[in-house]
Amino acid sequence: MAMCSTIVVVVVLVATATAAEETRCPGTTSSFRRKQAAMEDMPMDADVFAVPPGPNAPQQVHITLGDHAGTAMTVSWVTTEEAGNSTVLYGRAMDKLDMAAEGTHTRYKYYNYTSGFIHHCTLTNLEMCIRDSYYAMGFGHTVRTLWFTTPPRPGPDVPFRLGLIGDLGQTFHSNDTLTHYEATGGDAVLFMGDLSYADKHPLHDNNRWDTWGRFSERSVAYQPWIWVTGNHEVDYAPELGETKPFKPFTHRYPTPHLASDSPEPYWYSVKLASAHIIVLSSYSAFAKYTPQYKWLEAELASVNRSETPWLIMASHSPWYNSNNFHYMEGEPMRVQFEQMAVDVRVDLVFSGHVHAYERSFRVSNIRYNITDGQCTPVRDRRAPVYITIGDGGNIEGPADEMTHPQPAYSAFREDSFGHAVLDIKNRTHAYYAWYRNDDGAKVAADTVWFTNRFHMPNHDDSTPKKRHY
Ligand SMILES: [Fe+2]
């Protein structure tokens, strides 16, 4: 009898504790309603698409990390009249470009479109953390000189501001998002995929890849963007005779995949300051025994949290999504990779694809067993926080059909456009803020302090102390 009483007491205590946990911090569905407006791409003659002046001037300049640890940067640009020169001169002053790198150029055809001359050149042996590193290209015709800050040397307490943008496109809302990100400021961008949405135009009009390249240059020529591939990069169109997936993207946007021993450009890793960032591909095979799966296993085993305590993953399609748009599309990858992510204490998983914003509590759904029916996500301090930020403002419009009621794993969600910044302070703390595009203004609408899963594994950090609605 005494034992039965004890069991009852324990059950009641557990039930009370679970209820208290849920009551203490339920999720929030924001009451903010974005003003509806036409979602059209900016016109071809918009000033943000202007071609740089001068004969054969380099355009669509963009940079991305050129190696695994930040001592190389790959510069890409397009010339349209002739190939010209693929050389980049670079150095620490505009009048002292004392290093040179020789690049290559390529072209591609897509149905009735022929690209310009697309140049790629990797600058190596960069000194780390140098503000105003200058680089110049276009020799023989119109020379353009631009600049960036070289990445800091990786280390556990190196601060870093990582911009987070997804599904940007090229509408007026996209322009707001990019403008707001520029105002927020960051050291690099982790871009969650779906760049130009050229495939939304007749015949996948690849001129829209060119306009997107000119539109985004004002940020991506001056700081590296880390590319995740989305479904709008696939460009698979057998009806046009185009059957090679990712053809425009791979010609235009190189990634440093070889530096992390990845066989494909769609999944790879980089180190930035105190973060180790793993990019996954939702649109490549990831089942067990596939190259991506085997690569991820080896990659996770190689992460040194003493050097880079912040372990971040990104995939285009979200693993946790309570929006009817793209509902459950990310489930196969969650099933394959979630246990691995929990086991190694991944801090954060970022995604796009859904044109809304959502942040989860720290949850996992790894105890699922088909015979016991335990298939509901539960609070789990070992687990990542999942953030969906496919809200760049593209031509397809917002994803405005959330599931109801809000599931218990969802901490905050809003049908809106915006961007975010992860402000890593040191090995234990990072300040995260999501900024809504609010009728032209930038408003911090979801802010959280995250604590590191390696150094503070048991700290409950996924309940925001302060919210703005
Ligand atoms: Fe997408």
Side-chain angles (χ1 to χ4, degrees):
M1 183 65 186
M3 181 173 286
C4 285
S5 299
T6 305
I7 291 171
V8 169
V9 169
V10 169
V11 169
V12 169
L13 285 175
V14 169
T16 304
T18 304
E21 175 89 348
E22 298 301 326
T23 304
R24 183 166 56 82
C25 43
T28 298
T29 298
S30 170
S31 60
F32 177 82
R33 290 291 174 268
R34 195 182 61 79
K35 290 181 180 174
Q36 294 299 313
M39 296 300 300
E40 295 177 358
D41 279 348
M42 292 179 282
M44 296 293 281
D45 61 356
D47 58 355
V48 296
F49 299 148
V51 175
N56 209 38
Q59 60 169 271
Q60 306 174 49
V61 184
H62 52 92
I63 63 174
T64 196
L65 295 170
D67 68 2
H68 196 239
T71 59
M73 196 73 77
T74 298
V75 179
S76 303
W77 71 97
V78 174
T79 53
T80 56
E81 296 163 33
E82 57 183 282
N85 197 313
S86 295
T87 301
V88 173
L89 298 184
Y90 58 109
R92 294 185 59 169
M94 196 174 280
D95 59 356
K96 190 169 183 258
L97 303 176
D98 52 1
M99 293 187 281
E102 193 58 42
T104 59
H105 74 267
T106 184
R107 306 185 84 175
Y108 72 92
K109 292 181 184 297
Y110 192 95
Y111 190 61
N112 61 350
Y113 167 91
T114 302
S115 76
F117 303 90
I118 304 170
H119 303 256
H120 303 296
C121 182
T122 297
L123 319 185
T124 58
N125 298 316
L126 297 173
E127 277 188 71
M128 305 199 92
C129 215
I130 303 297
R131 286 191 69 83
D132 299 339
S133 270
Y134 292 89
Y135 66 102
M137 75 227 90
F139 298 100
H141 294 89
T142 300
V143 176
R144 293 184 66 197
T145 305
L146 307 173
W147 56 89
F148 58 84
T149 298
T150 58
R153 187 179 306 283
D157 290 307
V158 181
F160 199 78
R161 300 196 85 199
L162 183 65
L164 302 156
I165 302 174
D167 304 65
L168 184 59
Q170 45 192 308
T171 71
F172 291 99
H173 296 284
S174 319
N175 199 27
D176 281 348
T177 301
L178 189 56
T179 302
H180 293 164
Y181 170 64
E182 289 175 290
T184 306
D187 301 315
V189 168
L190 177 58
F191 187 82
M192 256 57 72
D194 285 359
L195 288 69
S196 74
Y197 288 78
D199 61 348
K200 298 298 291 186
H201 293 269
L203 308 177
H204 292 226
D205 183 0
N206 274 225
N207 290 295
R208 281 295 181 174
W209 275 103
D210 293 314
T211 53
W212 197 84
R214 295 197 291 272
F215 158 59
S216 56
E217 182 191 283
R218 70 188 200 229
S219 176
V220 71
Y222 300 91
Q223 59 176 253
W225 285 33
I226 300 160
W227 304 108
V228 178
T229 45
N231 52 304
H232 290 282
E233 278 70 73
V234 178
D235 278 310
Y236 175 73
E239 71 278 15
L240 303 178
E242 294 296 344
T243 55
K244 183 171 175 50
F246 305 111
K247 187 199 259 187
F249 176 79
T250 50
H251 279 84
R252 292 169 182 273
Y253 291 92
T255 67
H257 65 100
L258 294 176
S260 53
D261 296 325
S262 165
E264 297 286 345
Y266 319 113
W267 65 86
Y268 60 98
S269 74
V270 293
K271 291 192 291 190
L272 266 177
S274 46
H276 188 118
I277 300 171
I278 295 175
V279 171
L280 298 173
S281 175
S282 299
Y283 306 103
S284 306
F286 51 77
K288 199 162 187 177
Y289 315 116
T290 61
Q292 183 169 199
Y293 186 101
K294 292 175 77 72
W295 175 84
L296 181 60
E297 272 190 320
E299 174 68 17
L300 291 176
S302 75
V303 175
N304 178 1
R305 300 294 280 276
S306 297
E307 181 192 40
T308 50
W310 293 93
L311 181 51
I312 294 169
M313 295 172 79
S315 70
H316 184 63
S317 190
W319 301 0
Y320 284 90
N321 164 40
S322 69
N323 199 299
N324 283 325
F325 284 86
H326 304 305
Y327 185 63
M328 298 289 275
E329 279 187 26
E331 184 69 358
M333 182 177 272
R334 185 196 67 75
V335 169
Q336 287 295 343
F337 292 157
E338 184 180 25
Q339 182 76 60
M340 296 158 73
V342 173
D343 285 348
V344 301
R345 307 295 192 269
V346 168
D347 289 291
L348 299 158
V349 178
F350 292 103
S351 296
H353 201 35
V354 179
H355 302 162
Y357 173 73
E358 184 164 20
R359 173 177 55 80
S360 78
F361 294 109
R362 289 199 182 276
V363 293
S364 72
N365 194 10
I366 52 177
R367 62 177 182 171
Y368 177 65
N369 180 322
I370 199 165
T371 62
D372 63 19
Q374 293 188 347
C375 55
T376 303
V378 295
R379 298 287 180 91
D380 188 341
R381 293 182 188 179
R382 302 169 301 167
V385 167
Y386 295 89
I387 292 175
T388 302
I389 188 162
D391 54 357
N394 65 72
I395 192 171
E396 290 185 328
D400 54 359
E401 292 179 17
M402 297 175 186
T403 60
H404 294 285
Q406 183 174 13
Y409 64 75
S410 174
F412 182 90
R413 58 184 189 169
E414 179 173 314
D415 293 331
S416 196
F417 297 142
H419 77 280
V421 166
L422 180 69
D423 208 342
I424 296 175
K425 303 295 187 184
N426 52 37
R427 71 184 67 194
T428 58
H429 284 75
Y431 182 71
Y432 168 84
W434 175 70
Y435 298 96
R436 166 201 307 143
N437 297 354
D438 191 346
D439 200 16
K442 188 188 86 170
V443 176
D446 184 37
T447 57
V448 190
W449 278 97
F450 289 126
T451 50
N452 185 265
R453 288 306 91 183
F454 181 73
H455 287 291
M456 298 179 68
N458 296 314
H459 184 251
D460 179 11
D461 64 347
S462 64
T463 305
K465 302 295 184 290
K466 182 181 178 184
R467 287 181 178 141
H468 312 265
Y469 302 123

